[in-house]
Amino acid sequence: MRRTVLAGTGVMLALTLTACGGGAGGGSSSNAATSPSDPGKVSGTITVLTNRTDQVQDGTLARYAAAFNKIYPHVTVKFQGLTDYENDVKIRLNSKNYGDVLSIPNAVALKDYPNFFAPLGSAADLSKTYNFTDHATVGGQVYGIANIGDANGFVYNKAVWKQAGITTWPTTPDQFLADLAAIKSKTHATPYYTNYHDGWPLTNWGNALGSPSCDPQANDKLATTKDPWSPGQDLYTTDKLLYDIVHDKLAEPDPTTTNWENSKTLLGTGKVGTMWLASWAVVQMQAAAKQAGQDPADIGFMPFPVQVDGHFCSVVRPDYQYAVNVHSAHKDAARAWLDWYINKSGDAAASLSPSSVRGAPLPADLVPYQANGVKFIYLTNDRTAQVDEIDKASEIGINGQDYPQHLVDVARGAAGGDLASDFNDLNKKWSDALGTVG
């Protein structure tokens, strides 16, 4: 996924790099976080920053830490759950105090990873064990390892869709919109929920890139595409669908009042029909359904409504990649936790998500994808740094929350313009940036 700078953060991050850069120099040994060989010699207190506030609250992470301490008895692990993870960590990056282990925020461009994170090992070595290492490799060194991969798709309440008379996955955006309209007219559910207020769930729309075209090079091609919001382009297809959902009043009446935590219960209980997220969200919606006395089996997962040669396509990307703070005083303890969490905690299986560890079995929630011939697409990452630079210069932030929030605002009439004018503006910004840095 893309390590794209959020719109409007370029100046702040530039100041960060000047004032607090780690100076890792592409992976110097003095800054490395190597895997410890003797658990008994590893000690210290480390802080882990996480967006999984649910796992902090329900004790899951505490249980993980207790299991970890059976192997590493001299390490104390503390967790800080951040609801607004992207923005909170983005601010902390202005100092050296951003935990010992953290998920890499989208606001950090790939080329800047050595300034903030410790090298974990060579790409040649780590790629033998983990998928997605190319998404966090700079100068041959890996700076982040994903716990899970995410297949993209819509999490939906099958009972709601069935009540509306829909029993098959839509194969076109128009059919998808017609299905949402049927939900609106035949049920009491809100057909679609944007999660506009929290913002970060909307960034998942950026992860749809590659699914409409079924093209592994979809992200890399942005480095040479002047008008990515033109008909036939993936960003046009995905963003137009989001726009049409809101414009056609198939989403919640007032997106400024949405609430991420509450949205799980809304979908789990059938008060909401659909949300574009990723495979990681299925287990959370199922848990919410169960807690509310509903059937967790009602929670389904469907691909983006476009087929290529008769097949749906779902891009599988790394979820947040875990890194060690280059300034950490306990890099050995931090690396010990990172390794144990990804390889031994069982969190990937519990999350019904594809593990980044090579050879791990497919999770249960993706078995329907496999049974229905959905193709899993892994995006190439050869030109990510260049795409990052173009995106930064354009001030769009194709994987940030400001950009889809503005699209929603235009669609609901809270901002000026319409679909055509918004896409023309995006194309101009991208084309100008391409001409400058491309």
Side-chain angles (χ1 to χ4, degrees):
M1 154 169 125
R2 34 91 170 166
R3 292 299 176 193
T4 306
V5 178
L6 295 175
T9 63
V11 174
M12 186 201 73
L13 286 177
L15 292 173
T16 300
L17 296 178
T18 300
C20 303
S28 69
S29 59
S30 62
N31 285 312
T34 57
S35 298
S37 57
D38 186 350
K41 295 181 178 180
V42 181
S43 63
T45 298
I46 61 172
T47 297
V48 178
L49 306 186
T50 178
N51 65 315
R52 293 301 304 273
T53 55
D54 58 315
Q55 291 190 337
V56 175
Q57 294 167 359
D58 67 14
T60 296
L61 288 177
R63 290 191 294 272
Y64 288 164
F68 170 77
N69 282 143
K70 293 180 180 179
I71 302 174
Y72 294 92
H74 306 303
V75 178
T76 300
V77 185
K78 297 182 178 180
F79 302 99
Q80 290 185 10
L82 305 175
T83 300
D84 190 4
Y85 186 87
E86 285 286 334
N87 285 324
D88 285 350
V89 177
K90 185 174 66 178
I91 293 170
R92 293 190 187 200
L93 290 175
N94 283 305
S95 69
K96 297 180 180 180
N97 182 23
Y98 45 94
D100 297 279
V101 180
L102 68 158
S103 304
I104 299 177
N106 294 329
V108 184
L110 178 63
K111 68 181 180 63
D112 293 330
Y113 282 15
N115 293 283
F116 298 101
F117 314 117
L120 304 176
S122 72
D125 289 338
L126 291 178
S127 64
K128 297 174 183 177
T129 303
Y130 304 103
N131 287 311
F132 314 119
T133 55
D134 59 325
H135 288 256
T137 296
V138 181
Q141 290 290 313
V142 176
Y143 290 86
I145 301 174
N147 177 37
I148 60 174
D150 292 324
N152 61 28
F154 289 95
V155 183
Y156 72 109
N157 189 300
K158 291 186 285 187
V160 170
W161 281 63
K162 184 177 181 180
Q163 185 181 353
I166 310 159
T167 56
T168 59
W169 291 340
T171 59
T172 67
D174 285 344
Q175 186 181 350
F176 183 83
L177 292 168
D179 288 345
L180 293 188
I183 291 172
K184 182 176 182 178
S185 65
K186 297 179 181 180
T187 77
H188 296 292
T190 298
Y192 186 84
Y193 196 80
T194 66
N195 265 306
Y196 172 102
H197 179 72
D198 286 282
W200 66 262
L202 274 172
T203 66
N204 285 284
W205 280 92
N207 298 336
L209 182 70
S211 286
S213 60
C214 204
D215 186 357
Q217 296 182 326
N219 184 69
D220 283 342
K221 286 181 177 178
L222 290 176
T224 56
T225 302
K226 293 183 178 180
D227 52 355
W229 285 271
S230 297
Q233 301 288 340
D234 277 6
L235 289 176
Y236 177 93
T237 302
T238 58
D239 288 354
K240 184 178 185 300
L241 181 57
L242 174 59
Y243 179 95
D244 287 341
I245 289 170
V246 176
H247 183 265
D248 294 351
K249 303 188 184 306
L250 300 172
E252 70 282 345
D254 184 1
T256 64
T257 63
T258 62
N259 179 282
W260 162 248
E261 292 298 334
N262 188 48
S263 75
K264 303 175 192 179
T265 301
L266 293 176
L267 192 134
T269 58
K271 293 179 181 177
V272 163
T274 324
M275 289 190 278
W276 174 259
L277 291 167
S279 52
W280 59 262
V282 173
V283 69
Q284 295 189 40
M285 304 302 170
Q286 289 178 338
K290 184 176 181 180
Q291 186 173 4
Q294 302 297 311
D295 186 357
D298 282 342
I299 307 302
F301 193 59
M302 73 171 77
F304 194 87
V306 171
Q307 290 189 328
V308 177
D309 296 329
H311 292 278
F312 293 104
C313 295
S314 178
V315 171
V316 181
R317 303 168 179 262
D319 195 76
Y320 274 126
Q321 291 168 294
Y322 292 87
V324 173
N325 184 342
V326 73
H327 306 291
S328 172
H330 300 289
K331 290 188 180 70
D332 55 347
R335 180 61 188 271
W337 168 260
L338 187 152
D339 286 348
W340 181 90
Y341 177 71
I342 293 173
N343 291 279
K344 302 295 184 181
S345 70
D347 185 73
S351 300
L352 296 181
S353 296
S355 172
S356 70
V357 179
R358 291 187 180 275
L362 198 67
D365 62 326
L366 291 181
V367 171
Y369 269 34
Q370 190 176 50
N372 285 279
V374 177
K375 290 186 177 181
F376 294 108
I377 304 299
Y378 294 80
L379 295 182
T380 59
N381 202 44
D382 300 329
R383 308 188 75 171
T384 293
Q386 187 177 359
V387 174
D388 282 350
E389 287 299 310
I390 297 169
D391 187 47
K392 180 179 179 180
S394 74
E395 299 185 341
I396 293 174
I398 56 176
N399 289 288
Q401 65 190 51
D402 294 346
Y403 146 62
Q405 281 180 326
H406 178 72
L407 185 64
V408 170
D409 286 341
V410 174
R412 67 191 182 98
D418 55 17
L419 182 68
S421 64
D422 192 60
F423 281 9
N424 286 338
D425 182 56
L426 290 168
N427 277 330
K428 185 178 187 308
K429 288 180 177 179
W430 193 266
S431 180
D432 289 348
L434 183 64
T436 302
V437 302

